[in-house]
Amino acid sequence: MKDSKNIDINGLMLPHIQSLETYQGVIPMDVMADRAGIPPEKVIRLNGNENPYGPSPRVVEALGNFQNYNHYPDPDQTKLRDALSDYLDVPADHIVAGNGSDEIIDLLLRMFVGQGDNIVIPTPTFGMYAFSTEICGGEAVSVERDEDFNIDVEAVNLAITPKTKGMFFPSPNNPTGNVTSEAQIRALLETGLLVVVDETYYEFCGQTVLPLLEEYSNLVVLRTFSKWAGLAGLRIGLGVMQPDLAATMMSMKPPYNVNLAAEIALLASLEDTPTLFSRVKNIVAERDRMMGLLQQVKGIKTWPSQANFILCQLPEGRGKEIYDGLCNRGIFLRYFGNDRLKDHIRASVGLPHETDAVVAALDELVNA
Ligand SMILES: *Cc1c(COP(=O)(O)O)cnc(C)c1O
């Protein structure tokens, strides 16, 4: 046998993978609790835009009653796509379900982006688009949003090169909370490039561009059950697109990408939408209450939100210190240490007592 120390296995790896920066996901509850030195049930976890009410009780029941976890799930997603077709009012052949919408983002980029290609991303925004683009060996081209975090369509157009395959953006945007107007989305679709509108937070705002799929074959709309339906841990999201694109995605995805538990949970959720929508209504009302309270805290500027989170601007140069102060109190929000979001923090909307604790702690830390 060769001396294993002489084998340069890393040298065989693709250079763009070797130099990849990790996507920073949400850390688990017990790790957070450990960090703050408090019991896990005392942790206030508002850093992942998760649903504070959990999944529908029907989901828990259906998962417990199901017996056949020894079977593989349906690679054609027949039941899933039919149920989603009813929910979205879009033909089933336009839909592909994924292991979270994160997987649909990854599949799209693998379909369109190779070495040297690029994707235009209006920033600040969700990090997965750039991350998955770079995994494909492509380049993520950031285009700054304007002073209100609206997409600068002119700047996007100027950033497009012959190597540009498309653009990705959420509406409402994460982490800024604002929607992109239909007029702007139409203007972006007119580029003829792939336009992916990530409607992860649709259920909190009610604005969608799904109807534009009839007019534009270059549009893909993403949805997920992670946030509004409380299924983040089961990983179920979807893309809506032209049937030929959907067929290609179906043929190249991992065959069993959506596991049986996620399928059962999705079907049970769609049978209990009244419960889920009434929770969404509570979350929206709580967001507006939280916004009112935060606006009364001296030294904090809030950004308007159509989603289940609020972006707050903290006093200049104090972002990290205030974030650390919150962590020490067992309150975990999302901190952005970079560029324009230096000194910004994003708070997911939780339960009323969590809102009160966050606002009180922020007031104390900012104005101490
Ligand atoms: C949370 C989030 C996602 C991830 O959704 P999953 O379905 O859980 O993968 C995608 N896009 C945006 C903008 C998000 O905020």
Side-chain angles (χ1 to χ4, degrees):
M1 217 172 112
K2 270 200 199 167
D3 179 357
S4 69
K5 281 183 212 118
N6 290 335
I7 300 173
D8 179 16
I9 188 66
N10 291 328
L12 294 176
M13 211 187 294
L14 295 168
H16 71 273
I17 297 293
Q18 289 187 46
S19 61
L20 196 69
E21 253 182 71
T22 325
Y23 178 81
Q24 184 64 55
V26 179
I27 51 174
M29 208 81 158
D30 41 354
V31 178
M32 288 181 197
D34 244 24
R35 228 178 250 187
I38 54 170
E41 63 276 9
K42 285 263 171 67
V43 166
I44 295 184
R45 171 187 171 105
L46 298 175
N47 58 356
N49 301 340
E50 294 160 342
N51 194 312
Y53 297 99
S56 152
R58 300 254 198 113
V59 166
V60 179
E61 198 188 313
L63 287 172
N65 289 339
F66 190 74
Q67 297 295 324
N68 300 324
Y69 290 116
N70 52 322
H71 292 167
Y72 282 103
D74 171 14
D76 298 327
Q77 306 178 341
T78 313
K79 266 204 242 171
L80 261 179
R81 293 167 95 198
D82 282 346
L84 288 168
S85 163
D86 284 346
Y87 175 62
L88 300 165
D89 198 18
V90 168
D93 64 357
H94 287 53
I95 301 168
V96 181
N99 190 278
S101 55
D102 283 353
E103 187 186 28
I104 307 293
I105 295 168
D106 178 65
L107 288 168
L108 279 167
L109 288 164
R110 287 203 274 148
M111 286 164 73
F112 285 91
V113 173
Q115 291 282 345
D117 294 331
N118 74 51
I119 290 290
V120 171
I121 303 170
T123 50
T125 196
F126 186 54
M128 283 299 290
Y129 316 131
F131 176 72
S132 294
T133 299
E134 282 160 13
I135 285 187
C136 294
E139 188 198 352
V141 177
S142 297
V143 174
E144 274 299 311
R145 288 169 174 259
D146 73 10
E147 66 279 7
D148 294 320
F149 295 120
N150 290 315
I151 295 178
D152 183 341
V153 173
E154 208 177 283
V156 167
N157 277 317
L158 287 170
I160 291 169
T161 70
K163 290 291 192 184
T164 306
K165 292 302 189 82
M167 59 198 79
F168 280 64
F169 56 89
S171 180
N173 187 36
N174 178 6
T176 61
N178 57 312
V179 294
T180 300
S181 71
E182 186 179 310
Q184 281 205 324
I185 294 173
R186 281 180 182 274
L188 294 168
L189 284 161
E190 291 296 334
T191 60
L193 298 171
L194 174 71
V195 175
V196 181
V197 183
D198 180 347
E199 295 186 341
T200 285
Y201 300 99
Y202 160 74
E203 282 79 1
F204 300 103
C205 79
Q207 275 192 54
T208 179
V209 290
L210 271 185
L212 296 190
L213 278 164
E214 285 177 21
E215 280 175 69
Y216 293 98
S217 61
N218 53 331
L219 172 64
V220 175
V221 176
L222 305 181
R223 296 282 186 88
T224 179
F225 281 65
S226 291
K227 314 287 168 51
W228 73 278
L231 297 182
L234 284 171
R235 315 300 304 125
I236 178 94
L238 62 126
V240 191
M241 62 203 87
Q242 296 310 307
D244 50 348
L245 209 55
T248 304
M249 189 180 278
M250 287 298 291
S251 71
M252 56 95 67
K253 74 175 177 59
Y256 309 118
N257 63 326
V258 176
N259 68 63
L260 261 180
E263 175 179 329
I264 289 162
L266 180 124
L267 297 173
S269 297
L270 288 179
E271 280 169 14
D272 196 19
T273 48
T275 305
L276 293 171
F277 288 146
S278 89
R279 291 171 175 186
V280 165
K281 232 174 112 191
N282 289 347
I283 293 167
V284 169
E286 186 59 19
R287 174 195 72 205
D288 294 343
R289 189 179 79 91
M290 188 181 206
M291 186 71 84
L293 293 173
L294 286 169
Q295 282 168 350
Q296 288 167 30
V297 178
K298 252 200 344 251
I300 293 185
K301 175 182 157 69
T302 53
W303 291 91
S305 172
Q306 307 250 50
N308 66 337
F309 53 81
I310 297 174
L311 183 68
C312 303
Q313 190 173 345
L314 303 171
E316 175 91 39
R318 296 190 56 202
K320 181 71 168 71
E321 157 215 334
I322 292 167
Y323 170 74
D324 287 340
L326 289 167
C327 291
N328 292 336
R329 287 166 163 75
I331 298 174
F332 295 88
L333 308 187
R334 188 78 148 106
Y335 173 63
F336 304 95
N338 54 353
D339 312 331
R340 239 175 119 182
L341 293 186
K342 176 176 116 21
D343 299 327
H344 284 68
I345 208 160
R346 187 195 67 200
S348 308
V349 177
L351 300 170
H353 78 270
E354 295 177 316
T355 301
D356 295 338
V358 169
V359 173
L362 274 172
D363 194 15
E364 219 178 281
L365 288 162
V366 173
N367 296 308

mmCIF file of all heavy atoms in Angstrom, residues 48-49 99-103 105 126 129 170 172-174 198 200-201 222-227 232 235-238 309 346, ligand 1:
data_model
loop_
_atom_site.group_PDB
_atom_site.id
_atom_site.type_symbol
_atom_site.label_atom_id
_atom_site.label_comp_id
_atom_site.label_asym_id
_atom_site.label_seq_id
_atom_site.Cartn_x
_atom_site.Cartn_y
_atom_site.Cartn_z
ATOM 1 N N GLY A 48 -34.415 32.038 12.316
ATOM 2 C CA GLY A 48 -34.566 31.236 11.096
ATOM 3 C C GLY A 48 -35.902 31.424 10.398
ATOM 4 O O GLY A 48 -36.230 30.653 9.488
ATOM 5 N N ASN A 49 -36.669 32.424 10.804
ATOM 6 C CA ASN A 49 -38.002 32.651 10.230
ATOM 7 C C ASN A 49 -38.883 31.406 10.302
ATOM 8 O O ASN A 49 -39.711 31.154 9.423
ATOM 9 C CB ASN A 49 -37.900 33.171 8.784
ATOM 10 C CG ASN A 49 -37.120 34.460 8.708
ATOM 11 O OD1 ASN A 49 -36.969 35.159 9.716
ATOM 12 N ND2 ASN A 49 -36.587 34.786 7.548
ATOM 13 N N ASN A 99 -36.464 18.786 -1.826
ATOM 14 C CA ASN A 99 -36.052 18.664 -0.433
ATOM 15 C C ASN A 99 -35.798 20.094 0.077
ATOM 16 O O ASN A 99 -34.670 20.550 0.183
ATOM 17 C CB ASN A 99 -34.773 17.819 -0.399
ATOM 18 C CG ASN A 99 -34.381 17.426 0.994
ATOM 19 O OD1 ASN A 99 -33.761 18.187 1.716
ATOM 20 N ND2 ASN A 99 -34.766 16.248 1.379
ATOM 21 N N GLY A 100 -36.892 20.779 0.338
ATOM 22 C CA GLY A 100 -36.834 22.220 0.573
ATOM 23 C C GLY A 100 -36.743 22.933 -0.768
ATOM 24 O O GLY A 100 -36.365 22.313 -1.774
ATOM 25 N N SER A 101 -37.098 24.223 -0.782
ATOM 26 C CA SER A 101 -36.912 24.958 -2.039
ATOM 27 C C SER A 101 -35.418 25.141 -2.299
ATOM 28 O O SER A 101 -35.009 25.361 -3.438
ATOM 29 C CB SER A 101 -37.652 26.296 -2.030
ATOM 30 O OG SER A 101 -37.276 27.070 -0.925
ATOM 31 N N ASP A 102 -34.603 25.000 -1.275
ATOM 32 C CA ASP A 102 -33.142 25.009 -1.460
ATOM 33 C C ASP A 102 -32.718 24.006 -2.539
ATOM 34 O O ASP A 102 -31.821 24.284 -3.324
ATOM 35 C CB ASP A 102 -32.421 24.630 -0.159
ATOM 36 C CG ASP A 102 -32.397 25.774 0.849
ATOM 37 O OD1 ASP A 102 -32.813 26.898 0.511
ATOM 38 O OD2 ASP A 102 -31.955 25.529 1.990
ATOM 39 N N GLU A 103 -33.366 22.854 -2.559
ATOM 40 C CA GLU A 103 -32.982 21.848 -3.561
ATOM 41 C C GLU A 103 -33.393 22.294 -4.964
ATOM 42 O O GLU A 103 -32.681 22.035 -5.939
ATOM 43 C CB GLU A 103 -33.590 20.472 -3.268
ATOM 44 C CG GLU A 103 -33.014 19.438 -4.224
ATOM 45 C CD GLU A 103 -33.633 18.055 -4.132
ATOM 46 O OE1 GLU A 103 -34.819 17.933 -3.758
ATOM 47 O OE2 GLU A 103 -32.920 17.079 -4.448
ATOM 48 N N ILE A 105 -33.507 25.371 -5.973
ATOM 49 C CA ILE A 105 -32.493 26.374 -6.339
ATOM 50 C C ILE A 105 -31.257 25.666 -6.892
ATOM 51 O O ILE A 105 -30.733 26.004 -7.955
ATOM 52 C CB ILE A 105 -32.114 27.237 -5.101
ATOM 53 C CG1 ILE A 105 -33.319 28.064 -4.641
ATOM 54 C CG2 ILE A 105 -30.903 28.132 -5.393
ATOM 55 C CD1 ILE A 105 -33.153 28.718 -3.266
ATOM 56 N N PHE A 126 -31.008 36.632 0.418
ATOM 57 C CA PHE A 126 -30.801 35.245 0.831
ATOM 58 C C PHE A 126 -29.500 34.689 0.231
ATOM 59 O O PHE A 126 -29.247 34.863 -0.965
ATOM 60 C CB PHE A 126 -32.008 34.459 0.319
ATOM 61 C CG PHE A 126 -32.106 33.039 0.738
ATOM 62 C CD1 PHE A 126 -32.061 32.687 2.075
ATOM 63 C CD2 PHE A 126 -32.290 32.041 -0.220
ATOM 64 C CE1 PHE A 126 -32.189 31.365 2.460
ATOM 65 C CE2 PHE A 126 -32.429 30.719 0.163
ATOM 66 C CZ PHE A 126 -32.375 30.380 1.503
ATOM 67 N N TYR A 129 -28.541 31.558 -3.122
ATOM 68 C CA TYR A 129 -28.390 31.689 -4.576
ATOM 69 C C TYR A 129 -26.914 31.780 -4.958
ATOM 70 O O TYR A 129 -26.458 31.120 -5.890
ATOM 71 C CB TYR A 129 -29.130 32.925 -5.117
ATOM 72 C CG TYR A 129 -30.515 33.134 -4.572
ATOM 73 C CD1 TYR A 129 -30.914 34.371 -4.083
ATOM 74 C CD2 TYR A 129 -31.424 32.086 -4.537
ATOM 75 C CE1 TYR A 129 -32.191 34.573 -3.582
ATOM 76 C CE2 TYR A 129 -32.696 32.272 -4.033
ATOM 77 C CZ TYR A 129 -33.075 33.519 -3.548
ATOM 78 O OH TYR A 129 -34.323 33.715 -3.040
ATOM 79 N N PRO A 170 -35.855 36.856 -3.915
ATOM 80 C CA PRO A 170 -37.087 36.559 -3.198
ATOM 81 C C PRO A 170 -38.011 37.763 -3.217
ATOM 82 O O PRO A 170 -37.563 38.899 -3.226
ATOM 83 C CB PRO A 170 -36.626 36.315 -1.749
ATOM 84 C CG PRO A 170 -35.141 36.524 -1.731
ATOM 85 C CD PRO A 170 -34.773 37.247 -2.978
ATOM 86 N N PRO A 172 -41.591 38.509 -0.930
ATOM 87 C CA PRO A 172 -40.788 39.501 -0.227
ATOM 88 C C PRO A 172 -39.323 39.064 -0.085
ATOM 89 O O PRO A 172 -39.044 37.878 0.028
ATOM 90 C CB PRO A 172 -41.439 39.572 1.163
ATOM 91 C CG PRO A 172 -42.813 39.022 1.017
ATOM 92 C CD PRO A 172 -42.723 38.032 -0.096
ATOM 93 N N ASN A 173 -38.435 40.086 -0.097
ATOM 94 C CA ASN A 173 -37.010 39.791 0.011
ATOM 95 C C ASN A 173 -36.638 39.411 1.448
ATOM 96 O O ASN A 173 -37.145 39.978 2.400
ATOM 97 C CB ASN A 173 -36.198 41.026 -0.409
ATOM 98 C CG ASN A 173 -34.708 40.748 -0.482
ATOM 99 O OD1 ASN A 173 -34.278 39.661 -0.879
ATOM 100 N ND2 ASN A 173 -33.896 41.722 -0.079
ATOM 101 N N ASN A 174 -35.771 38.437 1.565
ATOM 102 C CA ASN A 174 -35.130 38.096 2.832
ATOM 103 C C ASN A 174 -33.720 38.649 2.762
ATOM 104 O O ASN A 174 -33.006 38.329 1.813
ATOM 105 C CB ASN A 174 -35.118 36.566 2.973
ATOM 106 C CG ASN A 174 -34.431 36.085 4.225
ATOM 107 O OD1 ASN A 174 -34.044 36.879 5.074
ATOM 108 N ND2 ASN A 174 -34.245 34.782 4.332
ATOM 109 N N ASP A 198 -38.513 33.905 -5.881
ATOM 110 C CA ASP A 198 -38.612 33.015 -4.723
ATOM 111 C C ASP A 198 -39.704 33.559 -3.794
ATOM 112 O O ASP A 198 -39.498 34.531 -3.067
ATOM 113 C CB ASP A 198 -37.235 32.989 -4.044
ATOM 114 C CG ASP A 198 -37.187 32.103 -2.806
ATOM 115 O OD1 ASP A 198 -38.257 31.694 -2.309
ATOM 116 O OD2 ASP A 198 -36.058 31.839 -2.338
ATOM 117 N N THR A 200 -41.044 32.356 -1.095
ATOM 118 C CA THR A 200 -41.028 31.660 0.195
ATOM 119 C C THR A 200 -42.014 32.268 1.194
ATOM 120 O O THR A 200 -42.645 31.554 1.962
ATOM 121 C CB THR A 200 -39.596 31.720 0.772
ATOM 122 O OG1 THR A 200 -38.801 30.803 0.043
ATOM 123 C CG2 THR A 200 -39.549 31.372 2.244
ATOM 124 N N TYR A 201 -42.146 33.595 1.161
ATOM 125 C CA TYR A 201 -42.983 34.278 2.160
ATOM 126 C C TYR A 201 -44.332 34.696 1.594
ATOM 127 O O TYR A 201 -45.017 35.548 2.161
ATOM 128 C CB TYR A 201 -42.208 35.480 2.740
ATOM 129 C CG TYR A 201 -40.932 35.009 3.401
ATOM 130 C CD1 TYR A 201 -39.706 35.089 2.745
ATOM 131 C CD2 TYR A 201 -40.969 34.398 4.657
ATOM 132 C CE1 TYR A 201 -38.548 34.595 3.327
ATOM 133 C CE2 TYR A 201 -39.823 33.906 5.240
ATOM 134 C CZ TYR A 201 -38.618 34.009 4.572
ATOM 135 O OH TYR A 201 -37.479 33.508 5.149
ATOM 136 N N LEU A 222 -40.722 29.949 -6.908
ATOM 137 C CA LEU A 222 -40.433 29.002 -5.826
ATOM 138 C C LEU A 222 -41.388 29.224 -4.662
ATOM 139 O O LEU A 222 -41.725 30.358 -4.337
ATOM 140 C CB LEU A 222 -38.994 29.173 -5.318
ATOM 141 C CG LEU A 222 -37.869 29.085 -6.337
ATOM 142 C CD1 LEU A 222 -36.521 29.260 -5.628
ATOM 143 C CD2 LEU A 222 -37.900 27.753 -7.070
ATOM 144 N N ARG A 223 -41.785 28.144 -4.055
ATOM 145 C CA ARG A 223 -42.582 28.195 -2.821
ATOM 146 C C ARG A 223 -42.008 27.168 -1.851
ATOM 147 O O ARG A 223 -41.273 26.269 -2.247
ATOM 148 C CB ARG A 223 -44.052 27.838 -3.103
ATOM 149 C CG ARG A 223 -44.779 28.821 -4.015
ATOM 150 C CD ARG A 223 -45.188 30.082 -3.274
ATOM 151 N NE ARG A 223 -45.996 30.953 -4.126
ATOM 152 C CZ ARG A 223 -47.322 30.866 -4.241
ATOM 153 N NH1 ARG A 223 -47.993 29.971 -3.548
ATOM 154 N NH2 ARG A 223 -47.980 31.686 -5.043
ATOM 155 N N THR A 224 -42.409 27.284 -0.584
ATOM 156 C CA THR A 224 -41.955 26.300 0.397
ATOM 157 C C THR A 224 -42.992 26.122 1.495
ATOM 158 O O THR A 224 -43.823 27.011 1.708
ATOM 159 C CB THR A 224 -40.610 26.712 1.032
ATOM 160 O OG1 THR A 224 -40.231 25.723 1.991
ATOM 161 C CG2 THR A 224 -40.686 28.056 1.735
ATOM 162 N N PHE A 225 -42.931 24.993 2.169
ATOM 163 C CA PHE A 225 -43.805 24.751 3.326
ATOM 164 C C PHE A 225 -43.039 24.955 4.631
ATOM 165 O O PHE A 225 -43.551 24.690 5.709
ATOM 166 C CB PHE A 225 -44.405 23.336 3.239
ATOM 167 C CG PHE A 225 -45.556 23.277 2.270
ATOM 168 C CD1 PHE A 225 -45.353 23.501 0.910
ATOM 169 C CD2 PHE A 225 -46.850 23.062 2.710
ATOM 170 C CE1 PHE A 225 -46.414 23.492 0.003
ATOM 171 C CE2 PHE A 225 -47.922 23.050 1.817
ATOM 172 C CZ PHE A 225 -47.696 23.262 0.474
ATOM 173 N N SER A 226 -41.787 25.423 4.524
ATOM 174 C CA SER A 226 -40.943 25.580 5.713
ATOM 175 C C SER A 226 -41.455 26.662 6.651
ATOM 176 O O SER A 226 -41.404 26.521 7.868
ATOM 177 C CB SER A 226 -39.520 25.961 5.298
ATOM 178 O OG SER A 226 -38.902 24.874 4.659
ATOM 179 N N LYS A 227 -41.905 27.775 6.105
ATOM 180 C CA LYS A 227 -42.170 28.943 6.938
ATOM 181 C C LYS A 227 -43.647 28.990 7.330
ATOM 182 O O LYS A 227 -43.979 28.860 8.496
ATOM 183 C CB LYS A 227 -41.721 30.216 6.210
ATOM 184 C CG LYS A 227 -40.314 30.123 5.565
ATOM 185 C CD LYS A 227 -39.184 30.158 6.562
ATOM 186 C CE LYS A 227 -37.795 29.801 6.082
ATOM 187 N NZ LYS A 227 -37.211 30.410 4.925
ATOM 188 N N ALA A 232 -40.223 23.284 8.302
ATOM 189 C CA ALA A 232 -38.801 23.514 7.955
ATOM 190 C C ALA A 232 -37.948 22.260 8.178
ATOM 191 O O ALA A 232 -37.071 21.944 7.376
ATOM 192 C CB ALA A 232 -38.247 24.694 8.748
ATOM 193 N N ARG A 235 -38.268 19.483 5.327
ATOM 194 C CA ARG A 235 -37.703 19.825 4.028
ATOM 195 C C ARG A 235 -38.654 19.542 2.881
ATOM 196 O O ARG A 235 -38.591 18.494 2.235
ATOM 197 C CB ARG A 235 -36.361 19.085 3.792
ATOM 198 C CG ARG A 235 -35.401 19.074 4.950
ATOM 199 C CD ARG A 235 -34.976 20.462 5.397
ATOM 200 N NE ARG A 235 -34.401 21.238 4.334
ATOM 201 C CZ ARG A 235 -34.855 22.459 3.986
ATOM 202 N NH1 ARG A 235 -35.869 23.024 4.606
ATOM 203 N NH2 ARG A 235 -34.276 23.103 3.002
ATOM 204 N N ILE A 236 -39.560 20.453 2.616
ATOM 205 C CA ILE A 236 -40.414 20.320 1.448
ATOM 206 C C ILE A 236 -40.707 21.688 0.833
ATOM 207 O O ILE A 236 -41.266 22.571 1.476
ATOM 208 C CB ILE A 236 -41.702 19.511 1.757
ATOM 209 C CG1 ILE A 236 -42.617 19.401 0.546
ATOM 210 C CG2 ILE A 236 -42.473 20.065 2.949
ATOM 211 C CD1 ILE A 236 -42.416 18.189 -0.244
ATOM 212 N N GLY A 237 -40.248 21.845 -0.391
ATOM 213 C CA GLY A 237 -40.464 23.082 -1.141
ATOM 214 C C GLY A 237 -40.752 22.708 -2.582
ATOM 215 O O GLY A 237 -40.778 21.521 -2.932
ATOM 216 N N LEU A 238 -40.945 23.703 -3.432
ATOM 217 C CA LEU A 238 -41.292 23.371 -4.810
ATOM 218 C C LEU A 238 -40.987 24.506 -5.764
ATOM 219 O O LEU A 238 -40.851 25.663 -5.352
ATOM 220 C CB LEU A 238 -42.788 23.041 -4.909
ATOM 221 C CG LEU A 238 -43.705 24.200 -4.520
ATOM 222 C CD1 LEU A 238 -44.696 24.491 -5.623
ATOM 223 C CD2 LEU A 238 -44.413 23.877 -3.228
ATOM 224 N N PHE A 309 -40.801 38.439 9.423
ATOM 225 C CA PHE A 309 -39.599 38.902 10.117
ATOM 226 C C PHE A 309 -39.481 40.403 9.931
ATOM 227 O O PHE A 309 -40.158 40.972 9.070
ATOM 228 C CB PHE A 309 -38.341 38.207 9.568
ATOM 229 C CG PHE A 309 -38.208 38.331 8.073
ATOM 230 C CD1 PHE A 309 -37.695 39.470 7.487
ATOM 231 C CD2 PHE A 309 -38.638 37.297 7.241
ATOM 232 C CE1 PHE A 309 -37.597 39.594 6.103
ATOM 233 C CE2 PHE A 309 -38.549 37.421 5.853
ATOM 234 C CZ PHE A 309 -38.030 38.561 5.286
ATOM 235 N N ARG A 346 -31.964 40.804 12.085
ATOM 236 C CA ARG A 346 -33.295 40.390 11.608
ATOM 237 C C ARG A 346 -33.974 39.566 12.686
ATOM 238 O O ARG A 346 -33.416 38.571 13.161
ATOM 239 C CB ARG A 346 -33.162 39.555 10.333
ATOM 240 C CG ARG A 346 -34.505 39.229 9.666
ATOM 241 C CD ARG A 346 -34.377 38.109 8.642
ATOM 242 N NE ARG A 346 -34.051 36.852 9.293
ATOM 243 C CZ ARG A 346 -33.511 35.787 8.689
ATOM 244 N NH1 ARG A 346 -33.236 35.828 7.398
ATOM 245 N NH2 ARG A 346 -33.242 34.682 9.364
HETATM 246 C C1 LIG B 1 -36.084 30.135 4.172
HETATM 247 C C2 LIG B 1 -35.867 30.474 2.757
HETATM 248 C C3 LIG B 1 -35.733 29.480 1.786
HETATM 249 C C4 LIG B 1 -35.520 28.045 2.155
HETATM 250 O O1 LIG B 1 -36.632 27.327 2.036
HETATM 251 P P1 LIG B 1 -36.578 25.739 2.240
HETATM 252 O O2 LIG B 1 -37.804 25.313 1.523
HETATM 253 O O3 LIG B 1 -36.615 25.504 3.694
HETATM 254 O O4 LIG B 1 -35.335 25.215 1.594
HETATM 255 C C5 LIG B 1 -35.661 29.838 0.451
HETATM 256 N N1 LIG B 1 -35.680 31.131 0.087
HETATM 257 C C6 LIG B 1 -35.771 32.126 0.997
HETATM 258 C C7 LIG B 1 -35.780 33.530 0.551
HETATM 259 C C8 LIG B 1 -35.852 31.824 2.350
HETATM 260 O O5 LIG B 1 -35.897 32.812 3.236
#
